[in-house]
Amino acid sequence: MTPWSAGLLSRNIMEEVALGRLTTMRIGGSAALLTVNSREDLAEIRQCDGRYLGRGANLLIGDEGVQEPVIRLGEAFAQRTVTATADGAVLQVGAAYDLGKLIGFCIDAGLAGPEGLAGVPASIGGALAMNAGTATVWLFDLVQRVEVVLPGEQQPRWLERSECPAHYRRSGLPPGTWFLACELALKSGDPATLKQTATRLKQAKAASQPLAQRSAGCIFTNPKPEIPAGRLIDELGLKGLRVGGAMVSPIHGNFIVNDHGASAADVAALIRRIRARVKAERGIELTMEVQTWGLDPEQFIPGPGDLG
Ligand code: EPU
């Protein structure tokens, strides 16, 4: 049984899916997935509790999946329009648009800014929700407005950048905000130079991150810019530490890779062990960057047994 009307179901796609295949970590049980292609149904969709999925690049889903419907924006929300300004352009782009594709478009069009996010795997919606970023730029540095449905509301509205208290890896908007689109204010740039920057960033990532393996990117936020979580974990000798099929990447300490059919429980146990060691030896409580669905938050809190 689904909570939605026959009309809604005729305009959008509803299916039961194994969620793991929609995430880069490739872990997670099943759920009902609604792929939304009609704006007229947003209010009805909003009437029930759902979970919003982007590219699943920063997500760990429990082995039993989730009870709530999972909602993903379809092609109708992957539009892009460009309006020229005196010194560049305003680019409006839907949340279902792929961030990498947008970066490529901006480089070719000579629009500067997005190239600083080269190599970040995300949909625009996911990148907004997480304020995706690199060492040089965060998405919200470029945002002029965002289109959202706020918690407790059913209709979309545009918010100015000043209404979004974005910070490191956070949009600043409340949990349950549904991101539909954004407008980026971009200045003109030389395509060859923008391409060089993007290539350099991607090469640096390829050299320092386990991109060929299944992961959810960085597991923890950096406690401080000068104390990167990856370095902490590395210094404590935890690279290669394993629970079941989950392993701390030997390449980058802040990545957990699913290299052997890992379960969500394996990853959670490994996260507890890392947190326990970092707390015991450095007095630092690592905060998780990766989002979790269908998992009890208690599963990530270390106990005495996690130091063994
Ligand atoms: N380092 C180590 N050992 C490691 C990993 C890193 O010593 O195992 C050292 C590096 O040598 C460097 C410092 O730690 O001196 C920082 O490492 P890195 O340059 O890899 O950056 P990071 O802080 O670990 C951040 C973002 C990444 C983003 C990169 C590049 C966070 C948590 N991570 O990583 O974002 O790709 O900068 O811009 O902010 C993500 O958010 O999922 C993510 C991967």
mmCIF file of all heavy atoms in Angstrom, residues 95-138:
data_model
loop_
_atom_site.group_PDB
_atom_site.id
_atom_site.type_symbol
_atom_site.label_atom_id
_atom_site.label_comp_id
_atom_site.label_asym_id
_atom_site.label_seq_id
_atom_site.Cartn_x
_atom_site.Cartn_y
_atom_site.Cartn_z
ATOM 1 N N ALA A 95 17.428 20.245 -9.151
ATOM 2 C CA ALA A 95 18.131 19.414 -8.166
ATOM 3 C C ALA A 95 18.535 18.054 -8.719
ATOM 4 O O ALA A 95 19.454 17.423 -8.208
ATOM 5 C CB ALA A 95 17.258 19.231 -6.936
ATOM 6 N N ALA A 96 17.840 17.577 -9.768
ATOM 7 C CA ALA A 96 18.186 16.254 -10.303
ATOM 8 C C ALA A 96 19.369 16.304 -11.267
ATOM 9 O O ALA A 96 19.846 15.269 -11.724
ATOM 10 C CB ALA A 96 16.965 15.644 -11.007
ATOM 11 N N TYR A 97 19.828 17.494 -11.599
ATOM 12 C CA TYR A 97 20.950 17.644 -12.534
ATOM 13 C C TYR A 97 22.231 17.119 -11.877
ATOM 14 O O TYR A 97 22.461 17.306 -10.682
ATOM 15 C CB TYR A 97 21.107 19.123 -12.887
ATOM 16 C CG TYR A 97 21.769 19.397 -14.209
ATOM 17 C CD1 TYR A 97 21.014 19.515 -15.377
ATOM 18 C CD2 TYR A 97 23.152 19.551 -14.301
ATOM 19 C CE1 TYR A 97 21.626 19.777 -16.599
ATOM 20 C CE2 TYR A 97 23.769 19.812 -15.510
ATOM 21 C CZ TYR A 97 22.995 19.928 -16.654
ATOM 22 O OH TYR A 97 23.598 20.189 -17.860
ATOM 23 N N ASP A 98 23.073 16.505 -12.662
ATOM 24 C CA ASP A 98 24.325 15.947 -12.124
ATOM 25 C C ASP A 98 25.377 17.052 -11.962
ATOM 26 O O ASP A 98 25.595 17.848 -12.882
ATOM 27 C CB ASP A 98 24.844 14.868 -13.085
ATOM 28 C CG ASP A 98 26.131 14.260 -12.592
ATOM 29 O OD1 ASP A 98 26.073 13.521 -11.592
ATOM 30 O OD2 ASP A 98 27.201 14.544 -13.170
ATOM 31 N N LEU A 99 25.999 17.089 -10.780
ATOM 32 C CA LEU A 99 26.975 18.154 -10.516
ATOM 33 C C LEU A 99 28.147 18.110 -11.496
ATOM 34 O O LEU A 99 28.585 19.151 -12.002
ATOM 35 C CB LEU A 99 27.484 18.057 -9.068
ATOM 36 C CG LEU A 99 28.564 19.061 -8.669
ATOM 37 C CD1 LEU A 99 28.059 20.502 -8.732
ATOM 38 C CD2 LEU A 99 29.093 18.761 -7.257
ATOM 39 N N GLY A 100 28.653 16.907 -11.777
ATOM 40 C CA GLY A 100 29.786 16.798 -12.704
ATOM 41 C C GLY A 100 29.446 17.326 -14.092
ATOM 42 O O GLY A 100 30.257 17.993 -14.747
ATOM 43 N N LYS A 101 28.219 17.050 -14.524
ATOM 44 C CA LYS A 101 27.761 17.521 -15.833
ATOM 45 C C LYS A 101 27.673 19.056 -15.826
ATOM 46 O O LYS A 101 28.047 19.719 -16.794
ATOM 47 C CB LYS A 101 26.379 16.906 -16.097
ATOM 48 C CG LYS A 101 25.959 16.858 -17.527
ATOM 49 C CD LYS A 101 24.697 15.994 -17.639
ATOM 50 C CE LYS A 101 23.668 16.696 -18.501
ATOM 51 N NZ LYS A 101 22.367 16.041 -18.507
ATOM 52 N N LEU A 102 27.222 19.593 -14.719
ATOM 53 C CA LEU A 102 27.110 21.054 -14.610
ATOM 54 C C LEU A 102 28.493 21.700 -14.665
ATOM 55 O O LEU A 102 28.694 22.731 -15.313
ATOM 56 C CB LEU A 102 26.408 21.447 -13.303
ATOM 57 C CG LEU A 102 26.150 22.944 -13.221
ATOM 58 C CD1 LEU A 102 24.931 23.300 -14.053
ATOM 59 C CD2 LEU A 102 25.967 23.399 -11.799
ATOM 60 N N ILE A 103 29.449 21.076 -13.988
ATOM 61 C CA ILE A 103 30.817 21.612 -13.991
ATOM 62 C C ILE A 103 31.344 21.631 -15.432
ATOM 63 O O ILE A 103 31.897 22.634 -15.896
ATOM 64 C CB ILE A 103 31.724 20.777 -13.051
ATOM 65 C CG1 ILE A 103 31.279 20.983 -11.597
ATOM 66 C CG2 ILE A 103 33.196 21.149 -13.235
ATOM 67 C CD1 ILE A 103 31.876 19.989 -10.611
ATOM 68 N N GLY A 104 31.140 20.525 -16.152
ATOM 69 C CA GLY A 104 31.583 20.459 -17.553
ATOM 70 C C GLY A 104 30.918 21.532 -18.400
ATOM 71 O O GLY A 104 31.582 22.206 -19.209
ATOM 72 N N PHE A 105 29.628 21.725 -18.208
ATOM 73 C CA PHE A 105 28.908 22.750 -18.961
ATOM 74 C C PHE A 105 29.498 24.136 -18.673
ATOM 75 O O PHE A 105 29.741 24.931 -19.593
ATOM 76 C CB PHE A 105 27.408 22.721 -18.606
ATOM 77 C CG PHE A 105 26.669 23.907 -19.143
ATOM 78 C CD1 PHE A 105 26.252 23.923 -20.474
ATOM 79 C CD2 PHE A 105 26.427 25.020 -18.350
ATOM 80 C CE1 PHE A 105 25.600 25.041 -20.988
ATOM 81 C CE2 PHE A 105 25.784 26.134 -18.857
ATOM 82 C CZ PHE A 105 25.373 26.151 -20.184
ATOM 83 N N CYS A 106 29.728 24.435 -17.396
ATOM 84 C CA CYS A 106 30.218 25.767 -17.018
ATOM 85 C C CYS A 106 31.629 26.010 -17.578
ATOM 86 O O CYS A 106 31.941 27.116 -18.025
ATOM 87 C CB CYS A 106 30.205 25.940 -15.501
ATOM 88 S SG CYS A 106 28.529 26.064 -14.857
ATOM 89 N N ILE A 107 32.456 25.002 -17.552
ATOM 90 C CA ILE A 107 33.803 25.151 -18.106
ATOM 91 C C ILE A 107 33.699 25.504 -19.587
ATOM 92 O O ILE A 107 34.300 26.488 -20.050
ATOM 93 C CB ILE A 107 34.634 23.860 -17.892
ATOM 94 C CG1 ILE A 107 34.950 23.690 -16.403
ATOM 95 C CG2 ILE A 107 35.921 23.888 -18.727
ATOM 96 C CD1 ILE A 107 35.581 22.357 -16.043
ATOM 97 N N ASP A 108 32.906 24.749 -20.332
ATOM 98 C CA ASP A 108 32.766 25.005 -21.777
ATOM 99 C C ASP A 108 32.170 26.381 -22.050
ATOM 100 O O ASP A 108 32.515 27.032 -23.035
ATOM 101 C CB ASP A 108 31.876 23.937 -22.423
ATOM 102 C CG ASP A 108 32.556 22.570 -22.429
ATOM 103 O OD1 ASP A 108 33.782 22.519 -22.223
ATOM 104 O OD2 ASP A 108 31.857 21.552 -22.611
ATOM 105 N N ALA A 109 31.251 26.810 -21.163
ATOM 106 C CA ALA A 109 30.574 28.101 -21.367
ATOM 107 C C ALA A 109 31.405 29.264 -20.825
ATOM 108 O O ALA A 109 30.981 30.421 -20.921
ATOM 109 C CB ALA A 109 29.209 28.074 -20.693
ATOM 110 N N GLY A 110 32.564 28.976 -20.209
ATOM 111 C CA GLY A 110 33.396 30.050 -19.651
ATOM 112 C C GLY A 110 32.762 30.698 -18.435
ATOM 113 O O GLY A 110 32.802 31.921 -18.275
ATOM 114 N N LEU A 111 32.173 29.869 -17.562
ATOM 115 C CA LEU A 111 31.572 30.381 -16.329
ATOM 116 C C LEU A 111 32.356 29.828 -15.141
ATOM 117 O O LEU A 111 32.447 28.602 -14.954
ATOM 118 C CB LEU A 111 30.101 29.980 -16.244
ATOM 119 C CG LEU A 111 29.208 30.646 -17.299
ATOM 120 C CD1 LEU A 111 27.804 30.048 -17.285
ATOM 121 C CD2 LEU A 111 29.161 32.165 -17.072
ATOM 122 N N ALA A 112 32.902 30.727 -14.341
ATOM 123 C CA ALA A 112 33.840 30.328 -13.282
ATOM 124 C C ALA A 112 33.127 30.030 -11.969
ATOM 125 O O ALA A 112 32.088 30.612 -11.665
ATOM 126 C CB ALA A 112 34.869 31.429 -13.081
ATOM 127 N N GLY A 113 33.712 29.158 -11.180
ATOM 128 C CA GLY A 113 33.226 28.833 -9.841
ATOM 129 C C GLY A 113 33.018 27.336 -9.663
ATOM 130 O O GLY A 113 33.701 26.700 -8.854
ATOM 131 N N PRO A 114 32.103 26.740 -10.437
ATOM 132 C CA PRO A 114 31.824 25.307 -10.241
ATOM 133 C C PRO A 114 33.042 24.411 -10.461
ATOM 134 O O PRO A 114 33.117 23.320 -9.881
ATOM 135 C CB PRO A 114 30.714 25.018 -11.261
ATOM 136 C CG PRO A 114 30.017 26.334 -11.421
ATOM 137 C CD PRO A 114 31.120 27.363 -11.330
ATOM 138 N N GLU A 115 34.020 24.842 -11.269
ATOM 139 C CA GLU A 115 35.196 23.981 -11.516
ATOM 140 C C GLU A 115 35.915 23.644 -10.207
ATOM 141 O O GLU A 115 36.596 22.616 -10.121
ATOM 142 C CB GLU A 115 36.157 24.643 -12.525
ATOM 143 C CG GLU A 115 37.064 25.744 -11.980
ATOM 144 C CD GLU A 115 36.330 27.047 -11.666
ATOM 145 O OE1 GLU A 115 35.154 27.178 -12.057
ATOM 146 O OE2 GLU A 115 36.929 27.932 -11.032
ATOM 147 N N GLY A 116 35.742 24.480 -9.182
ATOM 148 C CA GLY A 116 36.371 24.214 -7.880
ATOM 149 C C GLY A 116 35.784 22.997 -7.183
ATOM 150 O O GLY A 116 36.331 22.514 -6.197
ATOM 151 N N LEU A 117 34.641 22.508 -7.690
ATOM 152 C CA LEU A 117 33.999 21.323 -7.097
ATOM 153 C C LEU A 117 34.273 20.065 -7.926
ATOM 154 O O LEU A 117 33.648 19.029 -7.706
ATOM 155 C CB LEU A 117 32.482 21.549 -7.013
ATOM 156 C CG LEU A 117 32.037 22.664 -6.065
ATOM 157 C CD1 LEU A 117 30.585 23.052 -6.322
ATOM 158 C CD2 LEU A 117 32.202 22.236 -4.616
ATOM 159 N N ALA A 118 35.191 20.176 -8.862
ATOM 160 C CA ALA A 118 35.448 19.047 -9.770
ATOM 161 C C ALA A 118 35.784 17.779 -8.990
ATOM 162 O O ALA A 118 36.582 17.812 -8.051
ATOM 163 C CB ALA A 118 36.589 19.390 -10.724
ATOM 164 N N GLY A 119 35.141 16.696 -9.382
ATOM 165 C CA GLY A 119 35.421 15.403 -8.749
ATOM 166 C C GLY A 119 34.472 15.061 -7.625
ATOM 167 O O GLY A 119 34.498 13.948 -7.118
ATOM 168 N N VAL A 120 33.612 16.004 -7.208
ATOM 169 C CA VAL A 120 32.655 15.703 -6.133
ATOM 170 C C VAL A 120 31.462 14.969 -6.760
ATOM 171 O O VAL A 120 30.797 15.515 -7.637
ATOM 172 C CB VAL A 120 32.166 16.988 -5.423
ATOM 173 C CG1 VAL A 120 31.092 16.656 -4.396
ATOM 174 C CG2 VAL A 120 33.334 17.725 -4.769
ATOM 175 N N PRO A 121 31.186 13.727 -6.321
ATOM 176 C CA PRO A 121 30.074 12.980 -6.918
ATOM 177 C C PRO A 121 28.757 13.402 -6.255
ATOM 178 O O PRO A 121 28.591 13.235 -5.059
ATOM 179 C CB PRO A 121 30.410 11.521 -6.570
ATOM 180 C CG PRO A 121 31.237 11.613 -5.333
ATOM 181 C CD PRO A 121 31.880 12.965 -5.276
ATOM 182 N N ALA A 122 27.846 13.986 -7.015
ATOM 183 C CA ALA A 122 26.596 14.460 -6.390
ATOM 184 C C ALA A 122 25.592 14.873 -7.453
ATOM 185 O O ALA A 122 25.962 15.243 -8.570
ATOM 186 C CB ALA A 122 26.874 15.665 -5.487
ATOM 187 N N SER A 123 24.319 14.857 -7.053
ATOM 188 C CA SER A 123 23.302 15.592 -7.794
ATOM 189 C C SER A 123 23.326 17.015 -7.218
ATOM 190 O O SER A 123 23.854 17.244 -6.120
ATOM 191 C CB SER A 123 21.927 14.970 -7.554
ATOM 192 O OG SER A 123 21.602 15.086 -6.170
ATOM 193 N N ILE A 124 22.720 17.954 -7.934
ATOM 194 C CA ILE A 124 22.658 19.319 -7.392
ATOM 195 C C ILE A 124 21.908 19.336 -6.052
ATOM 196 O O ILE A 124 22.329 19.996 -5.099
ATOM 197 C CB ILE A 124 21.979 20.269 -8.411
ATOM 198 C CG1 ILE A 124 22.863 20.431 -9.648
ATOM 199 C CG2 ILE A 124 21.653 21.618 -7.792
ATOM 200 C CD1 ILE A 124 24.208 21.093 -9.391
ATOM 201 N N GLY A 125 20.826 18.554 -5.957
ATOM 202 C CA GLY A 125 20.052 18.522 -4.711
ATOM 203 C C GLY A 125 20.885 18.023 -3.536
ATOM 204 O O GLY A 125 20.885 18.618 -2.459
ATOM 205 N N GLY A 126 21.605 16.928 -3.745
ATOM 206 C CA GLY A 126 22.451 16.388 -2.682
ATOM 207 C C GLY A 126 23.566 17.357 -2.325
ATOM 208 O O GLY A 126 23.908 17.541 -1.156
ATOM 209 N N ALA A 127 24.129 17.996 -3.350
ATOM 210 C CA ALA A 127 25.231 18.942 -3.114
ATOM 211 C C ALA A 127 24.738 20.155 -2.326
ATOM 212 O O ALA A 127 25.470 20.704 -1.494
ATOM 213 C CB ALA A 127 25.831 19.373 -4.453
ATOM 214 N N LEU A 128 23.478 20.559 -2.552
ATOM 215 C CA LEU A 128 22.916 21.665 -1.770
ATOM 216 C C LEU A 128 22.681 21.219 -0.325
ATOM 217 O O LEU A 128 23.042 21.928 0.621
ATOM 218 C CB LEU A 128 21.590 22.132 -2.380
ATOM 219 C CG LEU A 128 21.689 22.907 -3.695
ATOM 220 C CD1 LEU A 128 20.308 23.042 -4.335
ATOM 221 C CD2 LEU A 128 22.319 24.287 -3.487
ATOM 222 N N ALA A 129 22.080 20.039 -0.171
ATOM 223 C CA ALA A 129 21.761 19.554 1.177
ATOM 224 C C ALA A 129 23.017 19.461 2.037
ATOM 225 O O ALA A 129 22.976 19.747 3.236
ATOM 226 C CB ALA A 129 21.070 18.199 1.092
ATOM 227 N N MET A 130 24.139 19.064 1.418
ATOM 228 C CA MET A 130 25.386 18.860 2.163
ATOM 229 C C MET A 130 26.323 20.052 2.058
ATOM 230 O O MET A 130 27.439 19.988 2.553
ATOM 231 C CB MET A 130 26.116 17.627 1.630
ATOM 232 C CG MET A 130 25.484 16.302 1.968
ATOM 233 S SD MET A 130 25.177 16.100 3.734
ATOM 234 C CE MET A 130 26.830 16.155 4.403
ATOM 235 N N ASN A 131 25.921 21.107 1.340
ATOM 236 C CA ASN A 131 26.867 22.178 1.022
ATOM 237 C C ASN A 131 28.194 21.557 0.583
ATOM 238 O O ASN A 131 29.247 21.803 1.167
ATOM 239 C CB ASN A 131 27.065 23.133 2.203
ATOM 240 C CG ASN A 131 27.848 24.380 1.812
ATOM 241 O OD1 ASN A 131 28.091 24.640 0.631
ATOM 242 N ND2 ASN A 131 28.268 25.137 2.812
ATOM 243 N N ALA A 132 28.102 20.719 -0.450
ATOM 244 C CA ALA A 132 29.272 19.965 -0.927
ATOM 245 C C ALA A 132 30.420 20.919 -1.204
ATOM 246 O O ALA A 132 30.218 22.062 -1.640
ATOM 247 C CB ALA A 132 28.909 19.217 -2.208
ATOM 248 N N GLY A 133 31.610 20.436 -0.939
ATOM 249 C CA GLY A 133 32.740 21.330 -1.134
ATOM 250 C C GLY A 133 34.058 20.613 -1.216
ATOM 251 O O GLY A 133 34.153 19.395 -1.018
ATOM 252 N N THR A 134 35.054 21.405 -1.539
ATOM 253 C CA THR A 134 36.434 20.922 -1.543
ATOM 254 C C THR A 134 37.220 21.885 -0.645
ATOM 255 O O THR A 134 36.628 22.712 0.043
ATOM 256 C CB THR A 134 37.012 20.970 -2.968
ATOM 257 O OG1 THR A 134 36.972 22.337 -3.415
ATOM 258 C CG2 THR A 134 36.201 20.117 -3.922
ATOM 259 N N ALA A 135 38.523 21.747 -0.708
ATOM 260 C CA ALA A 135 39.340 22.639 0.110
ATOM 261 C C ALA A 135 39.213 24.088 -0.370
ATOM 262 O O ALA A 135 39.455 25.017 0.395
ATOM 263 C CB ALA A 135 40.789 22.179 0.061
ATOM 264 N N THR A 136 38.803 24.290 -1.625
ATOM 265 C CA THR A 136 38.809 25.659 -2.162
ATOM 266 C C THR A 136 37.438 26.321 -2.241
ATOM 267 O O THR A 136 37.336 27.537 -2.179
ATOM 268 C CB THR A 136 39.431 25.680 -3.579
ATOM 269 O OG1 THR A 136 38.723 24.743 -4.394
ATOM 270 C CG2 THR A 136 40.899 25.333 -3.556
ATOM 271 N N VAL A 137 36.368 25.549 -2.410
ATOM 272 C CA VAL A 137 35.047 26.182 -2.581
ATOM 273 C C VAL A 137 33.943 25.262 -2.072
ATOM 274 O O VAL A 137 34.070 24.037 -2.110
ATOM 275 C CB VAL A 137 34.823 26.556 -4.080
ATOM 276 C CG1 VAL A 137 34.751 25.333 -4.958
ATOM 277 C CG2 VAL A 137 33.568 27.402 -4.270
ATOM 278 N N TRP A 138 32.877 25.894 -1.534
ATOM 279 C CA TRP A 138 31.660 25.171 -1.173
ATOM 280 C C TRP A 138 30.571 25.610 -2.137
ATOM 281 O O TRP A 138 30.585 26.754 -2.610
ATOM 282 C CB TRP A 138 31.220 25.531 0.250
ATOM 283 C CG TRP A 138 32.175 25.176 1.327
ATOM 284 C CD1 TRP A 138 33.202 24.276 1.273
ATOM 285 C CD2 TRP A 138 32.196 25.730 2.659
ATOM 286 N NE1 TRP A 138 33.846 24.227 2.481
ATOM 287 C CE2 TRP A 138 33.251 25.107 3.347
ATOM 288 C CE3 TRP A 138 31.419 26.662 3.331
ATOM 289 C CZ2 TRP A 138 33.550 25.399 4.674
ATOM 290 C CZ3 TRP A 138 31.708 26.961 4.650
ATOM 291 C CH2 TRP A 138 32.770 26.328 5.316
#
